[in-house]
Amino acid sequence: MKKRETLIYTILLGSSLLLCPLRSTAQEKKTATTEEKATVPLYQGTYVGLDVFGLGSKIFGSDFTSAEVSVEVNLKNRFIPIIEIGYGHTDTTDDETNIHYKASAPYFRIGMNYNILFKKPHLPGYAYGGIRYGFTVPFTYNGVKSNAGWVELVGGLTTKVYKNFYMGLSVRYRVRTSMKKTGNTEPWYIPGFGKNKANHFTIGTYSLIYKLPF
């Protein structure tokens, strides 16, 4: 299963990089010099994204699926506050314990991205680092209700594909900060977080993004 997931991640990362539009170095330097002298307006656009990686992960052998949308606002081409809302689900048997697990619930994340290429507004996209706080609403796990919260450190790339259409890839390091237990029982899977561990590194999202035309 791990080999298949590694192959998927490699394909997704490669496709993102191949779709980045290329421009000549001379043109970039000329445009950058001109635009750096201009004042960058506060509002740079609102973007709505759909995570296709979560929707299609089950097809490639993952134990989890999720449906997730995001809304982000670009401020000064530098600060990008973002909200992510999703619904996570699992219905699988653990290979190690042979125990069947079934759980599902909505989850939410809120945070901020920082465009590390903000001095180059002529580029057809941006690279960023960011942080999120995520949490689930109470969800049922084998008849036991639970909820959880976590923090994510995020790195990613968003690039323009055609007109107002973009695609983006993010990688995330997640640290669980809270989790409700019932007796000695705790969830095997946390919607929006993944397999229940104290922390883990993961490909977070592979998204199709649309910039609203205003």
Side-chain angles (χ1 to χ4, degrees), residues 199-212:
N199 54 72
H200 66 275
F201 176 83
T202 181
I203 293 291
T205 56
Y206 186 77
S207 302
L208 300 179
I209 303 167
Y210 179 70
K211 182 180 180 181
L212 299 180

Side-chain angles (χ1 to χ4, degrees), residues 1-213:
M1 186 179 296
K2 290 183 178 179
K3 291 183 178 179
R4 282 183 292 178
E5 291 181 349
T6 301
L7 177 61
I8 297 167
Y9 299 161
T10 303
I11 293 172
L12 294 177
L13 179 59
S15 63
S16 293
L17 295 176
L18 288 173
L19 285 171
C20 293
L22 299 178
R23 299 187 178 186
S24 67
T25 303
Q27 181 182 358
E28 287 184 358
K29 288 183 178 179
K30 181 179 179 180
T31 308
T33 302
T34 302
E35 296 191 12
E36 282 174 1
K37 294 179 180 179
T39 300
V40 179
L42 174 64
Y43 179 72
Q44 295 289 302
T46 298
Y47 301 75
V48 178
L50 173 66
D51 175 29
V52 295
F53 178 74
L55 287 171
S57 58
K58 191 72 173 181
I59 300 174
F60 298 101
S62 174
D63 295 324
F64 323 121
T65 56
S66 62
E68 179 178 317
V69 295
S70 63
V71 179
E72 56 188 278
V73 179
N74 189 330
L75 304 177
K76 302 288 279 187
N77 196 44
R78 189 170 184 176
F79 303 102
I80 309 170
I82 183 169
I83 296 174
E84 298 167 333
I85 302 172
Y87 189 88
H89 173 77
T90 188
D91 186 356
T92 189
T93 300
D94 186 14
D95 295 335
E96 298 178 0
T97 63
N98 203 34
I99 298 175
H100 186 78
Y101 298 94
K102 184 176 182 180
S104 58
Y107 61 87
F108 305 87
R109 303 190 199 98
I110 186 169
M112 176 81 74
N113 292 334
Y114 181 82
N115 179 14
I116 60 178
L117 301 176
F118 70 93
K119 290 184 178 181
K120 300 182 178 181
H122 58 283
L123 293 177
Y126 52 88
Y128 62 88
I131 190 168
R132 305 280 190 279
Y133 174 72
F135 61 95
T136 65
V137 299
F139 61 95
T140 300
Y141 160 75
N142 287 347
V144 177
K145 290 186 177 181
S146 181
N147 55 57
W150 64 92
V151 172
E152 300 182 4
L153 299 179
V154 185
L157 173 71
T158 296
T159 184
K160 188 174 185 178
V161 179
Y162 177 75
K163 293 186 176 180
N164 282 16
F165 293 92
Y166 294 72
M167 64 190 311
L169 174 70
S170 73
V171 292
R172 309 188 180 208
Y173 183 72
R174 293 172 172 159
V175 179
R176 194 187 64 215
T177 57
S178 64
M179 180 181 64
K180 179 182 177 181
K181 295 184 179 181
T182 301
N184 295 323
T185 302
E186 61 181 65
W188 178 76
Y189 162 75
I190 299 173
F193 181 84
K195 193 170 182 180
N196 186 13
K197 300 178 181 179
N199 54 72
H200 66 275
F201 176 83
T202 181
I203 293 291
T205 56
Y206 186 77
S207 302
L208 300 179
I209 303 167
Y210 179 70
K211 182 180 180 181
L212 299 180

